[in-house]
Amino acid sequence: MVDPVPLASGRDADVFAIDDRRVLRRYRNGGDVAAEAAVMAYVGGLGFPVPAVYEARGTDLVMERLDGGTMLSALIAGQLDALAAADCLADLHRRLHALPPRLGERDEDRILHLDLHPDNVMLTSRGPVLIDWRNATEGPPDLDLALSAVIIAQVAVDGEHPLAPPAATLLGAFLDRVGGSLLTVRDRALAVRRNDPALTTREREQLDAAAALITSHW
């Protein structure tokens, strides 16, 4: 691998272009990508839309280079409305939770992404593709849905965020599509989100308001 070109940076990883078909995702603060690669390979083998994984070693994950942009960028550009985005997010959850668990410690467990939001959905020529599987685990599907709702709600309650109004519309539409059973795990989702080391202090302070906004929809 020679001189990869910087392509993008996230909260805890940088992405480099290797060539026209591969990218390198490298975590800045250590960790092992083996578990992430394993779950991506598993769900991809069952037909779920994820980038193909070519190599996983230490902090480095070499994956398929996707065309298109994120759902978030499409929302910002006005190329996608909040209702269509809600349909897509709900459908990705439904499709993921329909898959048999890889580990299956409990019969009711399913694979959970735990970071499924518009900035982690790529709108490609082959359809929506879900990226960033570092938080993936297995557990109750409602937890996955609730965490997505919390992440969207945090934007919706941020009065200084330019996307607050569309995020509020997206949240309401998403909750309408996935139902109210996620309220039973709302507090657990809040705890997961609160313990995310990548969150800023401001984002943690928004969690109570985000929880109240979710509850207000029922």
Side-chain angles (χ1 to χ4, degrees), residues 27 31-41 53 56-61 102:
Y27 289 105
D32 190 340
V33 298
E36 182 177 1
V39 72
M40 290 176 68
V53 176
R57 182 185 306 168
T59 61
D60 291 0
L61 194 58
R102 185 170 68 96

Side-chain angles (χ1 to χ4, degrees), residues 169-182:
T169 302
L170 173 57
L171 176 67
F174 177 73
L175 293 175
D176 286 344
R177 284 153 179 75
V178 302
S181 58
L182 60 82

